[in-house]
Amino acid sequence: MNKLILGRYFPGDSILHQMDARAKLLAGIYFIFVLFIANNWLSYVLLWLFTFFVMRLSGVKFRVYFRGVRPLIWLIIFTVFLQILFTAGGEIYIDWGPITISEFGLINGVYIFSRFVMIIFISTVVTLTTKPIDLTDAINYLLHPLRRLKVPVDEISLMLSISLRFIPNLLDETQKVMDAQRARGTEFGEGSLVQQMKKIVPIFLPLFVSSLNRAEDMANAMEVRGYQSSKPRSSFRRLNWHGRDTIGLLVMVLLTIVLVMLRTEAHVY
Amino acid sequence: MLPPRLQVEQLTFRYDERKQENTLENVSFTVQKGEWLAVVGHNGSGKSTLARLLVGLLTPNEGSVHINGIKLDEDSKWKLRSQIGLIFQNPENQFIGTTVKDDVAFALENMNMAYDEMKVRVEQALEMVGLEDFAEYDPSRLSGGQKQRVAIAGLLALNPSILILDEAMVMLDPKSRKELMETLSNLKTNNHITIISITHDMNEAQAADRILMLSSGQILHDGEPAEVFQKEPTLDVPFAEQLRRELENRGSKVPDGYMTEDEMVRWLCR
Amino acid sequence: MVMQIRLDTVTADYRVGPIRSPKILNAVSTTVKSKSFSAVVGHTGSGKSSLLKLTNGLLLPTSGQVEIGDHIIKSENPKKSVKAARKKVGMVFQFPESQLFAETVEKDIIFGPLNFGMSVEEAKVIAKEVIVQVGLEVSILKKSPFSLSGGQKRRVAIAGILAMNPDILVLDEPGAGLDPKGKKEIMSLIRSWHEEKGLTTIFVTHDMDDVALYADEVIVMEKGSIAFQGTVRDAFRDADRVRNWHLELPEARRFQLKLEKEKAVSLPRVCLTLNELADVLIEVGLA
């Protein structure tokens, strides 16, 4: 759990930290689509350079990013392997019936690997440099149009932000209950799978009970402070769009143009 | 003449309709502007139920609650929410925002208030509880007492006339309690806010202008602290009164009635 | 049996999830004597709870060692000694009622004993004993712990610890959140178990009157170190020092000092409780 970097915020004051969450979120999602324009070595090299440049800008050590990829590495390698084994074309190096290792397969493997890792890196950049609550606000803003379709966007985002606010409490409480049961002789991470499953009950149940109590308290506190789910609410939290955010998006457009220009017509490797 | 801040008439409530037993029975009292009322009583006396009835979280079976002359009911309760606020026992569970100022703004957002006005109100409210330097803080970095003060600021932003505290000091350490008591007494003196504190703590009760003691859902005593402490032998009393009773038991010629700490010191120094 | 607790230059870090507070305890050395009753006090964040957690290996020293009787807990390879220490140290957390989980009170109480290898029959016999010791009826054993009142839940949770038959009882604010009467009852029970069972007892509290009424010794924690260790009377002798520790005085002592200042006299003894103060006032002829 502690090793997962994706989705965690690192406080800092880099230019990326200062950017508007909407700009970062949009740029991050856009990047995934841009990846599919690239179809030759040169464009992939450009994308890699871009990725490293953005990572550099975040002010977070590269080591942190590599650690972030580690938990997913097997999934990536597995997918890349499938690509290599089942893509045919070009010079064939090894041929075992339906399974071949070909030139195209290898190249495709490298591309797929690059895409995966770059997507992870870029999304990590977004979450590392954006407070979760700002990200929630950005999602809320970007989902605004859905309100017309009667999607309860505001309720969803309030729910998200309250959940975010309670994560530290829940972690604390889990730790406390685990400690209490340890003091009563439970040893976690030992014994057969069935035994380990049984040990979850003394943790899960108290947490469940306290979460219910907490939810009830919270609902009362919200009602006393005048919260009604159907009523329109104003928002105290502000997202501020600056020149740098527009520039950020322009950079993405520029990247797209260059990639389109670099794109080779046919499927030539 | 202005109506009393809070007027409770013949309030009766039971949680379970099938049972005969009432949690509260025929409770009537009024509270004036700028008054500090402590509600005391043993566990199960109906104190917390009363608090929930006063803010409209529960609906009475009989009787009525008037806030500034307006009757509290399903229609008026959302309007009255800005006039009467409730602070709960656990400071953790009433924190909704991810930062102090976001939390203070929550009730204002619910009123669909414009940003510029919210900004002013949030600043003012934080100033009133002495937390203006903590506006950007994450709640987990605050002490229990500070969290309760943020909760109070969240209500103050609405300009309420009545604040109710439901055992709001139970989870706090002595230092936080002191801070919170100071905040409350400032609000009473400077802003004429009516305070109703539901408590077990006799030092908190002693600080009030008036004590209301509940027992099995009914009002047992209603009067000044000195009066109530003297009448009620089962109530925990402040230290000076404990000392007076102890000395009396040992045959010392202490004065007969309830004594405050200063009175006791003066008597000993005679 | 010697059941003393010894800390030898213990330094410890504390971590919850990704957040790590270094040196929550800094080179702490102390001995808590066998069969003593000590209160641990100190400002919030001074390391009180961490000190308690060291005694049963919930927190491991980064350097130095903890001795529980003849079991030694060190940072390297502590597993066996931790398990042995946990069997001896009964730990009651703050708001222990939040650790209840089983369908019946009985099942919850025997959870600890079973984990430490007791048979179900034996554990059930013990459950009957401890439920009475915490002042509840035997019939409550068949009820669900979630159907009980707050005070009863707390007693059940403590019974679950007593059932493990510990030699050392460690409690983190056992009276927190209870009304004055409930708190008094719990504290008196703890004191009486201490005496009957010959336990070594340590409890954390914010209430200096609890210290004055129930404890023999005090450990004052400040910024991860022990600022004072000694008798309760010595601890509260000097009011300025107490203030510097960010602590309050027991009510009787506070009143005594106020009186002494006002009257410009000094009473012959340091008074910690109502009874002591009443005695002295009558003795010197003030009352």
Side-chain angles (χ1 to χ4, degrees):
Chain A
M1 263 283 272
N2 285 336
K3 284 173 196 138
L4 204 63
I5 300 294
L6 185 65
R8 187 168 289 162
Y9 171 66
F10 267 48
D13 54 2
S14 74
I15 176 122
L16 288 177
H17 280 86
Q18 288 163 29
M19 266 175 81
D20 190 292
R22 285 168 295 184
K24 282 183 274 187
L25 192 61
L26 274 178
I29 296 167
Y30 186 70
F31 183 79
I32 296 171
F33 292 102
V34 167
L35 279 178
F36 291 93
I37 302 173
N39 68 348
N40 55 31
W41 287 111
L42 198 57
S43 47
Y44 272 96
V45 169
L46 178 72
L47 282 169
W48 270 113
L49 286 176
F50 176 79
T51 306
F52 280 122
F53 173 69
V54 172
M55 282 158 65
R56 189 70 225 252
L57 270 187
S58 74
V60 180
K61 290 196 187 83
F62 278 23
R63 193 155 39 92
V64 175
Y65 290 97
F66 293 126
R67 250 196 291 150
V69 175
R70 218 182 289 158
L72 299 168
I73 197 73
W74 290 109
L75 183 74
I76 298 170
I77 288 179
F78 178 70
T79 319
V80 169
F81 236 79
L82 288 185
Q83 275 296 326
I84 294 175
L85 295 182
F86 294 107
T87 311
E91 195 175 328
I92 289 167
Y93 305 113
I94 294 172
D95 189 356
W96 293 318
I99 296 172
T100 53
I101 292 185
S102 65
E103 189 189 352
F104 286 6
L106 277 178
I107 291 170
N108 235 347
V110 173
Y111 287 175
I112 292 276
F113 176 81
S114 297
R115 269 188 224 155
F116 256 116
V117 176
M118 281 191 285
I119 288 174
I120 292 170
F121 280 164
I122 290 292
S123 31
T124 309
V125 167
V126 174
T127 57
L128 281 184
T129 61
T130 318
K131 279 190 199 143
I133 184 70
D134 290 334
L135 218 47
T136 313
D137 288 343
I139 293 170
N140 182 29
Y141 184 88
L142 297 176
L143 291 180
H144 251 186
L146 290 182
R147 271 192 204 171
R148 265 191 233 145
L149 302 174
K150 299 250 189 286
V151 178
V153 176
D154 290 313
E155 277 81 0
I156 292 171
S157 83
L158 184 69
M159 221 168 68
L160 262 177
S161 77
I162 290 177
S163 321
L164 284 174
R165 135 99 187 82
F166 275 107
I167 288 172
N169 287 71
L170 206 61
L171 282 178
D172 261 12
E173 210 151 295
T174 313
Q175 182 74 41
K176 210 191 111 185
V177 175
M178 278 177 80
D179 275 353
Q181 308 304 19
R182 261 195 208 119
R184 294 211 272 173
T186 313
E187 284 173 61
F188 297 106
E190 271 182 19
S192 67
L193 196 65
V194 178
Q195 281 173 324
Q196 291 213 41
M197 296 284 278
K198 275 189 184 160
K199 288 173 189 168
I200 293 175
V201 178
I203 297 178
F204 180 76
L205 224 89
L207 280 179
F208 185 69
V209 170
S210 74
S211 299
L212 278 183
N213 289 337
R214 206 188 274 281
E216 198 190 332
D217 276 9
M218 168 74 48
N220 279 335
M222 285 171 70
E223 189 179 337
V224 167
R225 287 160 80 179
Y227 177 75
Q228 284 172 286
S229 62
S230 49
K231 290 278 156 65
R233 301 179 74 235
S234 53
S235 171
F236 183 65
R237 300 188 52 78
R238 294 277 113 156
L239 292 164
N240 288 311
W241 193 272
H242 292 284
R244 56 172 175 259
D245 301 310
T246 314
I247 294 171
L249 290 190
L250 284 177
V251 169
M252 294 309 289
V253 174
L254 193 72
L255 181 71
T256 317
I257 295 169
V258 175
L259 283 173
V260 169
M261 278 159 52
L262 285 177
R263 197 177 154 87
T264 15
E265 271 309 312
H267 228 61
V268 178
Y269 288 95
Chain B
M1 208 184 90
L2 284 170
R5 280 273 166 99
L6 179 70
Q7 183 165 24
V8 177
E9 280 171 310
Q10 308 282 315
L11 208 59
T12 297
F13 179 81
R14 55 182 161 271
Y15 277 100
D16 194 336
E17 287 290 342
R18 287 162 301 182
K19 283 186 187 159
Q20 281 302 304
E21 208 180 319
N22 290 330
T23 310
L24 278 183
E25 201 170 301
N26 270 330
V27 170
S28 303
F29 63 96
T30 54
V31 191
Q32 302 299 334
K33 181 177 176 184
E35 195 176 12
W36 183 336
L37 175 76
V39 180
V40 301
H42 301 293
N43 281 340
S45 59
K47 299 186 306 275
S48 289
T49 308
L50 178 63
R52 281 164 171 69
L53 284 164
L54 294 184
V55 296
L57 282 175
L58 296 174
T59 314
N61 294 74
E62 283 156 52
S64 65
V65 175
H66 282 81
I67 294 159
N68 292 320
I70 302 168
K71 187 176 181 210
L72 179 71
D73 56 26
E74 276 305 308
D75 297 326
S76 66
K77 82 175 180 190
W78 295 105
K79 274 244 152 63
L80 288 173
R81 286 271 145 81
S82 65
Q83 294 180 37
I84 186 162
L86 175 61
I87 308 283
F88 296 86
Q89 189 183 87
N90 192 336
E92 217 59 76
N93 297 354
Q94 47 192 316
F95 223 112
I96 295 152
T98 31
T99 64
V100 167
K101 63 175 191 184
D102 287 351
D103 190 67
V104 174
F106 179 74
L108 303 178
E109 292 176 324
N110 293 334
M111 294 175 69
N112 207 7
M113 191 181 278
Y115 177 76
D116 293 320
E117 180 162 7
M118 280 202 271
K119 201 165 170 281
V120 177
R121 292 240 201 156
V122 168
E123 276 166 20
Q124 278 172 350
L126 282 174
E127 220 169 281
M128 280 162 85
V129 297
L131 287 175
E132 58 273 34
D133 296 336
F134 294 81
E136 304 289 340
Y137 270 54
D138 182 325
S140 62
R141 287 167 62 207
L142 301 177
S143 73
Q146 286 169 332
K147 279 180 201 158
Q148 288 297 47
R149 277 151 70 201
V150 173
I152 291 176
L155 299 173
L156 287 178
L158 293 166
N159 274 331
S161 46
I162 306 170
L163 278 185
I164 305 177
L165 295 100
D166 186 6
E167 299 191 33
M169 310 222 187
V170 169
M171 316 278 266
L172 308 185
D173 59 76
K175 189 169 164 259
S176 293
R177 280 183 202 193
K178 255 191 201 162
E179 287 170 3
L180 193 55
M181 288 287 277
E182 256 167 58
T183 305
L184 290 177
S185 105
N186 284 342
L187 290 173
K188 174 184 137 70
T189 332
N190 303 340
N191 307 79
H192 309 290
I193 290 176
T194 299
I195 292 165
I196 300 178
S197 69
I198 289 165
T199 182
H200 282 304
D201 184 81
M202 286 312 132
N203 292 319
E204 203 184 319
Q206 191 194 16
D209 300 316
R210 199 174 123 205
I211 293 180
L212 190 80
M213 182 169 178
L214 290 179
S215 176
S216 322
Q218 287 173 306
I219 295 183
L220 193 61
H221 298 291
D222 181 357
E224 282 177 22
E227 199 186 321
V228 175
F229 283 135
Q230 180 153 1
K231 274 193 207 152
E232 187 48 53
T234 68
L235 211 55
D236 256 26
V237 292
F239 184 76
E241 175 64 10
Q242 282 176 37
L243 183 62
R244 192 194 65 82
R245 290 181 189 179
E246 184 64 34
L247 291 172
E248 198 171 38
N249 280 344
R250 295 175 186 218
S252 164
K253 295 206 165 26
V254 283
D256 216 12
Y258 171 86
M259 285 171 96
T260 65
E261 191 156 307
D262 289 334
E263 283 164 2
M264 190 59 171
V265 170
R266 233 173 293 136
W267 183 77
L268 287 169
C269 290
R270 74 198 182 278
Chain C
M1 195 179 359
V2 191
M3 256 312 136
Q4 70 173 21
I5 302 168
R6 243 174 58 81
L7 270 64
D8 188 3
T9 49
V10 172
T11 297
D13 301 340
Y14 186 65
R15 66 177 3 185
V16 178
I19 304 150
R20 179 162 163 266
S21 332
K23 295 208 173 156
I24 189 85
L25 289 175
N26 193 2
V28 172
S29 296
T30 181
T31 304
V32 176
K33 285 193 288 296
S34 188
K35 299 190 176 27
S36 62
F37 197 109
S38 313
V40 180
V41 296
H43 193 52
T44 307
S46 57
K48 301 184 296 281
S49 299
S50 304
L51 190 71
L52 294 195
K53 283 187 182 167
L54 276 175
T55 60
N56 70 351
L58 289 172
L59 181 67
L60 294 173
T62 42
S63 69
Q65 62 177 37
V66 181
E67 293 169 29
I68 308 295
D70 39 20
H71 303 287
I72 295 173
I73 303 175
K74 284 186 187 180
S75 62
E76 65 270 7
N77 197 24
K79 208 157 210 172
K80 226 181 96 198
S81 45
V82 164
K83 178 110 190 176
R86 271 184 199 158
K87 214 171 159 180
K88 295 205 179 323
V89 181
M91 177 118 170
V92 178
F93 280 81
Q94 205 177 7
F95 301 108
E97 55 275 24
S98 66
Q99 74 200 36
L100 299 174
F101 70 93
E103 310 90 284
T104 65
V105 169
E106 185 177 50
K107 280 188 184 163
D108 214 289
I109 291 176
I110 65 175
F111 178 70
L114 295 187
N115 279 332
F116 285 111
M118 204 183 275
S119 74
V120 178
E121 290 72 32
E122 260 180 295
K124 282 188 172 172
V125 172
I126 290 185
K128 283 206 181 70
E129 282 170 28
V130 291
I131 202 75
V132 175
Q133 282 170 5
V134 296
L136 297 172
E137 304 273 328
V138 175
S139 62
I140 219 169
L141 286 173
K142 298 292 169 214
K143 290 192 181 165
S144 157
F146 299 106
S147 69
L148 307 177
S149 77
Q152 288 174 323
K153 277 188 203 162
R154 176 148 325 168
R155 287 166 190 236
V156 168
I158 297 178
I161 304 300
L162 288 180
M164 287 153 55
N165 221 348
D167 296 311
I168 298 171
L169 190 58
V170 175
L171 310 105
D172 194 352
E173 293 201 56
L178 297 178
D179 64 17
K181 189 163 152 265
K183 190 172 163 188
K184 228 174 263 169
E185 285 169 2
I186 286 281
M187 287 310 300
S188 320
L189 281 173
I190 294 168
R191 183 77 219 191
S192 63
W193 304 324
H194 172 81
E195 257 130 52
E196 279 160 28
K197 303 182 178 216
L199 301 170
T200 307
T201 309
I202 307 178
F203 74 109
V204 162
T205 184
H206 277 299
D207 187 335
M208 297 307 136
D209 282 309
D210 282 352
V211 178
L213 283 170
Y214 303 104
D216 302 323
E217 298 243 333
V218 194
I219 296 173
V220 178
M221 297 293 297
E222 210 182 14
K223 291 178 190 145
S225 304
I226 293 180
F228 173 90
Q229 184 172 16
T231 65
V232 176
R233 210 163 297 277
D234 283 341
F236 295 121
R237 199 176 293 278
D238 182 350
D240 291 330
R241 191 175 57 171
V242 174
R243 200 170 311 123
N244 286 337
W245 293 332
H246 305 284
L247 296 177
E248 312 279 313
L249 287 165
E251 288 275 16
R253 178 67 180 146
R254 182 187 58 77
F255 188 88
Q256 179 189 9
L257 288 167
K258 185 171 174 176
L259 180 70
E260 287 179 355
K261 197 177 157 206
E262 209 100 334
K263 206 172 156 55
V265 291
S266 89
L267 299 178
R269 293 192 295 275
V270 171
C271 302
L272 297 177
T273 61
L274 182 67
N275 278 324
E276 287 176 10
L277 184 63
D279 282 344
V280 170
L281 287 175
I282 288 174
E283 197 178 300
V284 298
L286 280 175

